[in-house]
Every structure is written in structure tokens, then in C-alpha cells.
Amino acid sequence: MKRTKPIAFITLLVVVALWGIAPVVSKSIFDEGRYSPGILIALRGLFSIIAMAIIINKGFKKLNKSYLICIPAGIILAAAYLFQFVGLKYTVPSKNTFLENISCITIPIFMFIFIREKPTWYSIVSALICVVGSLILVAEGFDFLHFFTSGNLLGDGLSAIGGLFFGLDIAFTKVFCKDKDPLLYVFFQIVVLTVVATGYSLIFETYVFDDFAISFNILDILQVVFLGVICTAVCWVARAWAMKSIDAVTVSLLVPLSAVIASVLSICLQIEGFTWNLLIGGLIILLSIAVSAIFDYRKECQCKKDNNTEEEAKHEQCQSEL
């Protein structure tokens, strides 16, 4: 166990780094017109499905009718990816990746809708902090009279909607998929995502927006394989394995740092320039994530403590009756 924990931590850091690289690679693909967002998601999903099927192997024996829940879950995930990737086409990687984290706004809302779980005060505070950070992030400077004059508002808005759908996906998974094998669940989610993305690309990108693009160049295909196999399939599996040895709060705090990596890499490659809005807005969003993660962890620990206390009390009562 002592050896496993550091390896799991390093594995998680590699996953975070790869998830930071992925949006920068995707942005360069869009800017050069090699793939349109929908077909890139579809191909990334296809390669991911093949890789995950090999990894799961005999695990498919666990499959039963209850996994039909993956259909609505996959549609939700597809909406999140489509909004995020189409948004990325019209904005910069830093804003796109940071805005993904406004999922913290919709998680408590949908947890209340699904199971009437009342939002805690810290989830409300976290959501408000995240909103403030997001507003600063998408603005141009700090002239509040011209707060939303950015030319990237379309991309920023779509990226934010993608983040809201990611929050819905998290809440849906928490409520309806607790008893599912995580690898099988993700696998079938991605299957549905791939089907939806393919349909979107063939209908909307081909006939409505007329911006369908696909490349059969071997180097371009290798980039899509990298995004699908390494950044999706391998990273999801590696993250699931690492979470067995690392506490939830560490995972919650580390994974959003992929947005920081994407921002730094994007600036270094001159895809975008440094702005104070990016620095301040990004830091505020990370603060909101930290607030949510830390208090969620404390709540979980308190629940476990209360359950243990109840079990001890029942045991003592049984002993006294004997």
C-alpha cells in the first residue's frame, strides 16, 4: 500500500497533465481546419471505445439491463462535449477549460431535483465564487461598463453551457449509477456519445452549418488516436485506478489543475496571450473548487463517523439485551 499510493499520485498527475494538453491539441486542429468539432468527438470516441473494450475484456460479463441508464447519461455527456468542443473552436483553451468547472453551479441544483438533497451553505458559496471567477475570466479588462465586449463571447458562452452539462452528468452519475461498474458505465456512456456526435456531425455540420471537415492525413489521424486512446480511454482507467489509493479531496483538487496546464501551454505556444482576467478569474474558479472539495470531504468524514457511532450504539444495545 505504501508503494501504491505514490505511484497512484504520480499517475493522477500524468492524467491531469494529459487532460491539460488535450484542449490545446484540439484547438490547433480546429484552427487549421483539419476536423470539425462533431467529427473530432466522434472519432475520439470511436478510438476510445476500441481501447476501453480491450481493457475491460471479461468485465463485460457484468453487463445487465440496468446499464440502459447509460443511454440518458451518454446523451448528457454528448451535450457537454459538443458544447465544449464547439465553444473551443471560437474561444481560447484557457477560457474553455476553466469554464468547464462551472459544473459546480448545476450539481447542487440537480441533486435537489433528483433526490431533494438541499444545497449546503458551502455549495452555494462555492457556486457564487465560481460565477464571479467566470465573469472576470470572460471579460475584457475591468471596465465594468464594457464588461462583455469580448469577441469570444460565443465560444465562452458555449463553453460555459458545456460546463453546466458536465455538472448535470456528475449529478446524474452520483444518483443513478452508484451500483454500476465505473469502467462499464464510462464505456457505454462514450458509445452513446459517439453515436450522438456522429449524428450531429452528419446532420448539422454537413447540412446546416456547412463546416464539416475531416482529414485522412496519417499525422492528423495519429493526433485523434492520441486524444481518443491516451487522453480518454487510458486516462479514465488510470484515474479510476488511482482513486482507489488517493482520497477524494486530493483528486477533486488536482483534476481541475488541467485548466492551469492548458492555459500555460496555450500561452507558451502563442495560441493566446496572458491577461490579468485569466489569472484572477482562473484563481477564483480554483478557489471555488477547493471550497467545494474540502467541505465535501469533511461532510463525508462526518457521515462515516456518525454511521460508525450508530453501529457501535446498536452493538452495545444488543450486548446489554443478551
Side-chain angles (χ1 to χ4, degrees):
M1 180 68 182
K2 289 182 178 179
R3 290 184 179 181
T4 303
K5 192 167 184 177
I7 294 172
F9 186 79
I10 294 170
T11 299
L12 188 60
L13 289 178
V14 172
V15 169
V16 170
L18 287 169
W19 281 348
I21 293 170
V24 179
V25 175
S26 300
K27 177 63 175 175
S28 68
I29 287 173
F30 297 150
D31 287 348
E32 294 173 13
R34 288 175 282 165
Y35 294 94
S36 50
I39 200 65
L40 180 62
I41 296 171
L43 290 173
R44 178 176 173 173
L46 177 62
F47 288 124
S48 175
I49 289 167
I50 295 170
M52 289 196 75
I54 295 170
I55 293 169
I56 294 171
N57 197 3
K58 295 180 180 180
F60 285 108
K61 292 179 180 179
K62 301 177 185 177
L63 189 61
N64 55 51
K65 290 183 179 179
S66 69
Y67 281 90
L68 287 173
I69 196 70
C70 294
I71 295 175
I75 293 172
I76 294 168
L77 187 64
Y81 266 96
L82 284 168
F83 277 111
Q84 185 189 43
F85 271 59
V86 175
L88 179 59
K89 184 177 179 179
Y90 299 105
T91 190
V92 291
S94 61
K95 291 184 179 182
N96 182 263
T97 50
F98 272 114
L99 288 170
E100 178 186 333
N101 294 300
I102 70 169
S103 57
C104 65
I105 297 172
T106 46
I107 292 172
I109 294 173
F110 282 102
M111 289 300 287
F112 178 76
I113 292 172
F114 292 148
I115 57 173
R116 292 294 183 268
E117 180 181 287
K118 293 183 179 179
T120 57
W121 66 267
Y122 64 82
S123 65
I124 296 172
V125 170
S126 175
L128 292 175
I129 295 173
C130 190
V131 169
V132 171
S134 300
L135 291 176
I136 293 174
L137 182 73
V138 302
E140 291 282 334
F142 296 91
D143 181 358
F144 291 94
L145 294 177
H146 304 88
F147 203 61
F148 298 109
T149 57
S150 168
N152 294 328
L153 278 183
L154 172 62
D156 296 341
L158 293 174
S159 299
I161 294 172
L164 296 177
F165 270 102
F166 277 119
L168 172 56
D169 178 64
I170 292 169
F172 190 91
T173 300
K174 281 185 175 180
V175 174
F176 299 106
C177 307
K178 291 180 180 179
D179 59 338
K180 304 293 181 292
D181 180 281
L183 293 183
L184 277 178
Y185 175 73
V186 171
F187 174 82
F188 285 107
Q189 259 198 310
I190 295 176
V191 169
V192 176
L193 176 148
T194 303
V195 172
V196 173
T198 301
Y200 168 86
S201 182
L202 293 177
I203 297 171
F204 290 93
E205 291 182 340
T206 304
Y207 298 106
V208 180
F209 303 120
D210 193 26
D211 61 352
F212 178 87
I214 187 170
S215 171
F216 295 101
N217 180 281
I218 187 64
L219 293 177
D220 295 339
I221 294 173
L222 287 174
Q223 285 187 344
V224 179
V225 171
F226 166 75
L227 291 172
V229 175
I230 305 300
C231 295
T232 305
V234 173
C235 280
W236 274 106
V237 173
R239 179 176 177 267
W241 175 81
M243 287 181 68
K244 294 179 180 179
S245 304
I246 301 176
D247 59 83
V249 69
T250 302
V251 176
S252 299
L253 292 174
L254 280 179
V255 170
L257 292 179
S258 58
V260 176
I261 294 172
S263 302
V264 172
L265 189 58
S266 181
I267 292 169
C268 290
L269 294 175
Q270 298 183 337
I271 294 175
E272 61 181 292
F274 171 82
T275 65
W276 287 106
N277 292 76
L278 169 60
L279 178 63
I280 296 172
L283 287 174
I284 292 174
I285 291 172
L286 291 176
L287 174 63
S288 72
I289 296 166
V291 170
S292 179
I294 292 169
F295 280 96
D296 274 341
Y297 180 71
R298 290 182 62 182
K299 180 183 177 182
E300 184 180 340
C301 291
Q302 185 61 46
C303 288
K304 288 181 179 178
K305 185 178 179 181
D306 292 342
N307 289 336
N308 290 337
T309 303
E310 288 178 7
E311 288 179 5
E312 289 174 2
K314 288 179 181 177
H315 179 73
E316 289 177 0
Q317 185 178 358
C318 290
Q319 290 295 326
S320 62
E321 290 175 355
L322 291 174

